[in-house]
Amino acid sequence: MTQAAVNSAKVLYRLSVSREDVEKAEKLFFMTPQLQKVLTSPVVPEAKKYEIIDQVFALQTDLGLLYYAGEAVEADYAEAAKWLRKAAEQGDTGAQTLTGNLYIAGNGVKQDFAEA
C-alpha cells in the first residue's frame, strides 16, 4: 500500500466515515442513467456538470481506499479493485497505482503483471 493510500484511509477514518455513507456513495454509482441525463441536459450549466463529475470520481477513489485499507468497512480487495479500477479508468493516477499494486500482488484480482 502506498503512503498516499495510507494517509487517505487515515483521513477518511478520522472523519468517521460510516458504513452507511459508503453504501450511499455506492448507490450513487448505480444511478448512472440518471447522472447521464443530467450531464447531457442542455439546461444544466456546464460548471455544474464538471462539479458533479469531480464528485463522482472522488467518491470512486474514496470507496476503493476504504475497502483497500479496511477503514469504516471490512477490508475487501475485490471491492477495492472494482472501485479503484473505475477511478483509474477516469485518469486518477493514485487509483491507477493502487490498482496496479492489487494486480501485482493478486489481491482481489487474478495476479496479472501485464495488467498492472
Side-chain angles (χ1 to χ4, degrees):
M1 180 181 309
T2 65
Q3 189 60 48
V6 171
N7 292 343
S8 294
K10 285 179 181 179
V11 168
L12 292 171
Y13 180 73
R14 288 185 187 134
L15 291 174
S16 301
V17 176
S18 68
R19 181 158 189 94
E20 292 80 27
D21 288 341
V22 173
E23 290 168 357
K24 284 179 192 174
E26 212 166 5
K27 286 178 188 176
L28 173 68
F29 293 110
F30 294 114
M31 296 178 1
T32 302
Q34 289 98 345
L35 284 173
Q36 184 177 2
K37 286 179 187 175
V38 170
L39 295 175
T40 58
S41 170
V43 178
V44 178
E46 203 70 23
K48 185 66 176 171
K49 291 177 183 180
Y50 284 110
E51 183 182 319
I52 291 168
I53 290 168
D54 288 343
Q55 290 173 354
V56 169
F57 293 159
L59 287 173
Q60 289 174 330
T61 302
D62 290 349
L63 273 172
L65 286 171
L66 288 171
Y67 282 112
Y68 190 92
E71 300 292 344
V73 294
E74 188 173 327
D76 184 337
Y77 288 128
E79 266 312 287
K82 178 176 91 175
W83 293 111
L84 289 170
R85 184 173 186 97
K86 288 175 185 276
E89 289 170 352
Q90 303 301 323
D92 184 316
T93 56
Q96 290 169 350
T97 300
L98 290 172
T99 302
N101 290 345
L102 290 170
Y103 277 101
I104 288 169
N107 290 332
V109 292
K110 183 180 177 195
Q111 189 175 42
D112 185 339
F113 294 108
E115 187 67 25

